[in-house]
Amino acid sequence: MPKVFGFFLLLLFFGVGGCSRVYDESDVDLNDQFSDVNQEIVKSKRKKILKEIAELKDHPWAGEYYLGNGVEFGERLILAPENGFTMTLYDNAHLWVLDFGMAVWDEDRVKLSPVFGPEPEASGLRYYPSEYYLIDWGQRIYLIRTDEIILFCNAINQGTEPRDEYGGDFFIRVDLEKAEMKGKPVIPEEFRAYLLDEPFDAEIIAVSDIREEKRNKFATVVVNKGKKDGLLPGMELLVMDQDEYKEKVELSKVEETQSEGTLCFERSWLSEKNPPPEVGWRLSTCPKEKRSPSPGGPAEQDADRDPSTVEK
């Protein structure tokens, strides 16, 4: 039933029905973000943005972007330089974010000026920031939160990007989701070292500080590889030795020959009870099933367009 209701909500919000009066941004209800008036404003603004996108055709960053799983959860960002943006976030049949405002290009990123703004603690779900890197990858175009660019690199190293099915964890322009891929994505230069040409393996050599925080269980681990091997703070290493063990070590401290990180080995909302990590466990930046050559593998950086040259 949640899937049916979620789909029905999207139909209502994105194209069915409407009020007899046409509302504009001067009518905004600042007292209730999710009021009927604001929903009508977003619908009207969305139509204007989509019309502008169609007229612009091959604009560098204007477009409709989506992340999520297509049914229960999703975020949709639609933006263009003149008419700004609309943002919606839903979880099952509940609308968690409804916002709109202006969107501008600033050096190497898109900046949003929302009417209501992100509220990180409001719902416990993902919040949306106001700045996104524009990432070209072959003919695909991503908008990556500036605070998630390392996560995006980790996803590429782990083989979950480029995605091979609908939906994902990062905004991608919906009309280019299945477009041709080549090389590596064009990311800001300061993060390019996070993209690996080959999978990277390591081993746990110490485990300490097993603890519980907010009903989740964590352990601090030390691995036998470090800066000289190419590891960087924020990189993730997957557990390889334990079947069905899907957790990752997130590196926080990287020294010359070893690194330290945190492994969340048991999560409160999952029924599975994982064992704590042990010395000798093997780790890797990429699981075995994802190790076949891919467009994001050991190819040259795609330099078709430097983000700094994008026009406003």
Side-chain angles (χ1 to χ4, degrees), residues 83-298:
N83 286 288
F85 80 94
T86 63
M87 169 78 79
T88 55
L89 185 157
Y90 65 90
D91 181 39
N92 285 319
H94 190 87
L95 189 64
W96 289 99
V97 170
L98 177 78
D99 212 342
F100 58 93
M102 298 310 298
V104 298
W105 178 258
D106 186 4
E107 295 186 1
D108 63 348
R109 66 195 67 188
V110 175
K111 290 188 175 181
L112 308 181
S113 299
V115 171
F116 293 99
E119 298 181 23
E121 306 301 328
S123 65
L125 294 175
R126 286 168 51 93
Y127 74 100
Y128 73 96
S130 58
E131 298 186 9
Y132 296 80
Y133 288 120
L134 179 72
I135 305 295
D136 283 357
W137 195 351
Q139 294 181 11
R140 300 188 192 188
I141 299 177
Y142 292 79
L143 282 180
I144 305 298
R145 297 164 43 144
T146 53
D147 63 344
E148 289 193 345
I149 187 67
I150 294 177
L151 291 180
F152 182 60
C153 294
N154 287 334
I156 296 169
N157 293 336
Q158 293 162 17
T160 57
E161 286 288 354
R163 63 195 67 178
D164 54 9
E165 57 186 23
Y166 181 76
D169 294 330
F170 305 95
F171 277 126
I172 190 170
R173 219 176 84 178
V174 296
D175 59 325
L176 299 175
E177 186 171 21
K178 301 300 182 183
E180 180 184 355
M181 305 289 297
K182 63 176 181 178
K184 291 182 180 180
V186 182
I187 67 171
E189 185 174 358
E190 61 266 34
F191 298 105
R192 290 179 185 175
Y194 282 87
L195 291 179
L196 302 175
D197 289 334
E198 299 291 343
F200 188 96
D201 298 327
E203 183 177 306
I204 295 177
I205 58 174
V207 179
S208 63
D209 192 22
I210 295 176
R211 60 199 182 275
E212 184 171 329
E213 298 176 6
K214 297 181 179 179
R215 298 191 299 166
N216 299 321
K217 293 184 179 180
F218 297 85
T220 298
V221 303
V222 178
V223 304
N224 65 340
K225 299 293 176 64
K227 191 180 301 182
K228 73 177 183 63
D229 304 294
L231 290 185
L232 295 168
M235 281 186 170
E236 294 175 340
L237 299 172
L238 306 170
V239 175
M240 298 290 286
D241 286 335
Q242 306 298 307
D243 293 339
E244 304 303 322
Y245 201 107
K246 303 299 183 183
E247 304 299 346
K248 311 167 186 175
V249 174
E250 181 178 346
L251 299 180
S252 56
K253 181 180 179 182
V254 177
E255 299 177 347
E256 195 65 22
T257 59
Q258 65 180 34
S259 304
E260 182 178 287
T262 300
L263 174 65
C264 180
F265 63 89
E266 191 173 298
R267 300 182 185 273
S268 60
W269 62 86
L270 297 177
S271 58
E272 295 84 359
K273 303 299 181 183
N274 290 326
E278 298 179 5
V279 171
W281 278 14
R282 292 183 304 118
L283 309 172
S284 180
T285 55
C286 184
K288 296 175 182 177
E289 64 271 16
K290 296 286 188 178
R291 292 197 175 199
S292 58
S294 70

Side-chain angles (χ1 to χ4, degrees), residues 1-7 9-10 66-75 89-96 125 166:
M1 291 301 290
K3 292 184 179 181
V4 174
F5 284 123
F7 180 68
L9 174 69
L10 289 178
Y66 176 81
L67 68 82
N69 61 16
V71 182
E72 293 96 346
F73 174 81
E75 295 180 55
L89 185 157
Y90 65 90
D91 181 39
N92 285 319
H94 190 87
L95 189 64
W96 289 99
L125 294 175
Y166 181 76

Side-chain angles (χ1 to χ4, degrees), residues 31 39 41 53 92 248 283 305:
N31 296 316
Q39 293 195 41
I41 291 172
I53 291 170
N92 285 319
K248 311 167 186 175
L283 309 172
R305 186 174 73 207

Side-chain angles (χ1 to χ4, degrees), residues 300-311:
E300 294 294 326
Q301 175 85 14
D302 180 4
D304 285 348
R305 186 174 73 207
D306 188 318
S308 64
T309 66
V310 176
E311 297 179 358

Side-chain angles (χ1 to χ4, degrees), residues 21-30 35 37-38 41 100:
R21 176 183 170 184
V22 176
Y23 292 90
D24 60 35
E25 294 177 56
S26 65
D27 299 306
V28 62
D29 180 358
L30 295 175
S35 68
V37 169
N38 289 341
I41 291 172
F100 58 93

